[in-house]
Amino acid sequence: MSNAGFVIAGYGVILGGLGLYVAYLLRRLGLARDASKRLGGDVDEAP
Amino acid sequence: MKTRVLGFVALTAVIGASINGLFVVPADLNQGDAQRIMYVHVASAWIAYASFGVTALAGLGYLVWRDLRLDALALAGAEVGVIFTAFAIWGGMMWGRPVWGVYWQWEDPRLTTTALLLALYVGYLLLRRLTDDPARRAARAAVVGLIAAVDIPIVHFSVIWWRGLHQTPTFGDPSKILNPSAPLQFVLALLAMLGAFTLVWVYLLIRRYQLGRLAWRLEEAARRGRIAAARGAALGAAGVEEPAR
């Protein structure tokens, strides 16, 4: 693998992983908010 | 709403800092393009330190004030810190292969103590799954978070205390802050990436904290439901009608 290959792999995994984690976190947050709404709880952003 | 704006600003900053690091700043004379990996590698490592520092301080705060909001913050720091430690290790491996000739070397103190740091905080996250009692879970996690934090200065100063493959700090060493051993353009690119990652870090901490608080409320609701069901079953078995409220 050339240097450029390592750079692409480095940035790709880190930035791609960051994007995936944000998506996963927002998905979990959305599901938790829905469940909280069904229970009639406070669904506003936590203090 | 404000958190959403922060997320958008963080995304824009990361895109800008990445374009700068990949295409604007020149390649290093000796390391070539591989040096560009340093911007995300070093920024990830610093953010990981800060995350675990938040976990330790919030854990200490929990032990003092017994406030579960601090436990939610400690959990946020640990989860985000594990992600960034993994990124730092990956970035280091992608840089190490073309520059050192190896992806990894267990004899290197920085690499080994960083791997230990990752293992400690993965253990912290697993430990939290051992009990459903929020207070007991928070107290145990706070103690483990404080013990694990001892590894943070060991990781940082390992390159000064012991000899290994990993180079000494470029400007993380107090004596090099005003006189970094890298060209100014490289240092500014690193600081830009660090700033962008810091914005992402704050955004992730807020979102993970919100998730922790909501998860706690759902746990509480489920616990109350189980208690009510058990109470109804016990009264039914005893042939007693549940009193109207």
Side-chain angles (χ1 to χ4, degrees), chain A residues 30-43, chain B residues 218 221:
Chain A
L31 289 173
R33 280 186 176 145
D34 287 346
S36 182
K37 223 180 260 183
R38 279 198 298 276
L39 288 170
D42 178 14
V43 294
Chain B
L218 293 172

Side-chain angles (χ1 to χ4, degrees), chain A:
Chain A
M1 191 156 48
S2 68
N3 272 8
F6 287 106
V7 175
I8 292 166
Y11 274 76
V13 169
I14 291 174
L15 299 183
L18 210 48
L20 282 177
Y21 178 63
V22 170
Y24 175 60
L25 189 55
L26 292 179
R27 169 89 179 135
R28 281 196 293 170
L29 195 56
L31 289 173
R33 280 186 176 145
D34 287 346
S36 182
K37 223 180 260 183
R38 279 198 298 276
L39 288 170
D42 178 14
V43 294
D44 290 334
E45 292 196 353

Side-chain angles (χ1 to χ4, degrees), chain B residues 122-208:
Chain B
V122 169
Y124 171 97
L125 294 176
L126 292 176
L127 174 92
R128 298 185 60 93
R129 294 171 174 262
L130 291 182
T131 177
D132 286 338
D133 179 358
R136 188 179 298 172
R137 180 176 58 208
R140 285 177 182 174
V143 172
V144 171
L146 281 170
I147 294 170
V150 172
D151 195 33
I152 301 171
I154 295 176
V155 171
H156 185 72
F157 291 106
S158 60
V159 291
I160 297 168
W161 293 341
W162 303 296
R163 257 188 281 177
L165 261 182
H166 202 285
Q167 72 271 36
T168 53
T170 302
F171 66 107
D173 184 325
S175 65
K176 291 182 176 176
I177 288 173
L178 294 175
N179 186 27
S181 51
L184 183 64
Q185 214 174 353
F186 290 4
V187 173
L188 291 177
L190 175 58
L191 290 177
M193 189 62 80
L194 181 65
F197 271 30
T198 302
L199 291 172
V200 173
W201 176 62
V202 173
Y203 174 78
L204 290 176
L205 279 187
I206 292 171
R207 289 301 190 205
R208 188 61 188 85

Side-chain angles (χ1 to χ4, degrees), chain B residues 19-234:
Chain B
I19 290 171
N20 181 49
L22 285 170
F23 305 111
V24 179
V25 178
D28 183 77
L29 192 63
N30 298 312
Q31 298 177 22
D33 285 324
Q35 189 271 337
R36 299 181 191 281
I37 300 172
M38 277 297 107
Y39 307 130
V40 280
H41 164 68
V42 176
S44 297
W46 286 357
I47 293 295
Y49 291 165
S51 297
F52 297 142
V54 165
T55 298
L57 289 176
L60 182 64
Y62 176 79
L63 292 176
V64 174
W65 292 294
R66 301 283 165 177
D67 185 337
L68 283 170
R69 285 176 297 185
L70 288 167
D71 180 56
L73 183 60
L75 169 60
E79 187 174 296
V80 173
V82 163
I83 299 284
F84 277 98
T85 306
F87 289 162
I89 289 174
W90 175 258
M93 287 168 65
M94 291 302 102
W95 176 85
R97 182 65 182 85
V99 177
W100 290 342
V102 289
Y103 286 105
W104 187 266
Q105 198 192 54
W106 283 109
E107 289 78 15
D108 184 87
R110 169 61 69 86
L111 272 58
T112 306
T113 52
T114 305
L116 177 66
L117 191 70
L118 180 65
L120 284 169
Y121 282 93
V122 169
Y124 171 97
L125 294 176
L126 292 176
L127 174 92
R128 298 185 60 93
R129 294 171 174 262
L130 291 182
T131 177
D132 286 338
D133 179 358
R136 188 179 298 172
R137 180 176 58 208
R140 285 177 182 174
V143 172
V144 171
L146 281 170
I147 294 170
V150 172
D151 195 33
I152 301 171
I154 295 176
V155 171
H156 185 72
F157 291 106
S158 60
V159 291
I160 297 168
W161 293 341
W162 303 296
R163 257 188 281 177
L165 261 182
H166 202 285
Q167 72 271 36
T168 53
T170 302
F171 66 107
D173 184 325
S175 65
K176 291 182 176 176
I177 288 173
L178 294 175
N179 186 27
S181 51
L184 183 64
Q185 214 174 353
F186 290 4
V187 173
L188 291 177
L190 175 58
L191 290 177
M193 189 62 80
L194 181 65
F197 271 30
T198 302
L199 291 172
V200 173
W201 176 62
V202 173
Y203 174 78
L204 290 176
L205 279 187
I206 292 171
R207 289 301 190 205
R208 188 61 188 85
Y209 171 80
Q210 289 171 345
L211 178 61
R213 295 290 295 150
L214 275 173
W216 179 78
R217 283 177 199 157
L218 293 172
E219 265 182 6
E220 275 300 297
R223 188 174 298 111
R224 281 198 298 271
R226 281 199 300 272
I227 290 170
R231 181 186 155 90

